[in-house]
Amino acid sequence: MADVQDLSVSGYHWIVRNPDRFGGKPTIRGTRFTVSFILGCLAEGMSYDEIVHDYSEFPKESIPEILRFASEVTDDPNVAA
């Protein structure tokens, strides 16, 4: 069976989905980081440099998109508060 390609999330450059990876959770393009993992790191107070030091490199330019994605998802009226 062929690997499924990453599918771009509309309106985002850095955020993609792949049904064969992490159950289709949104991930950061070119990495195996889920959006929720990076959000968790940031919520714990980690800086970009600390995330890279502890885990691996990922594009710093993706952070504003990650935050915007989280804002838009949690603002959806179908998301339980």
Side-chain angles (χ1 to χ4, degrees), residues 1 4 6 10 18 22 35 38 41 47-49 60 75 77 79:
M1 183 170 150
V4 176
D6 288 344
S10 181
N18 185 324
F22 300 109
V35 168
I38 298 299
C41 290
S47 69
Y48 167 77
D49 291 331
K60 189 173 192 170
D75 201 34
V79 173

Side-chain angles (χ1 to χ4, degrees), residues 41-74:
C41 290
L42 295 171
E44 292 294 323
M46 291 180 77
S47 69
Y48 167 77
D49 291 331
E50 290 170 325
I51 295 168
V52 169
H53 179 267
D54 288 356
Y55 300 105
S56 180
E57 289 205 39
F58 78 99
K60 189 173 192 170
E61 301 83 11
S62 68
I63 293 175
E65 259 193 33
I66 293 168
L67 296 174
R68 181 169 59 92
F69 181 82
S71 172
E72 290 176 2
V73 168
T74 59

Side-chain angles (χ1 to χ4, degrees), residues 3-26:
D3 289 331
V4 176
Q5 296 276 340
D6 288 344
L7 306 171
S8 294
V9 173
S10 181
Y12 296 92
H13 171 75
W14 290 105
I15 300 175
V16 296
R17 291 181 191 263
N18 185 324
D20 291 340
R21 194 170 52 231
F22 300 109
K25 288 183 178 183

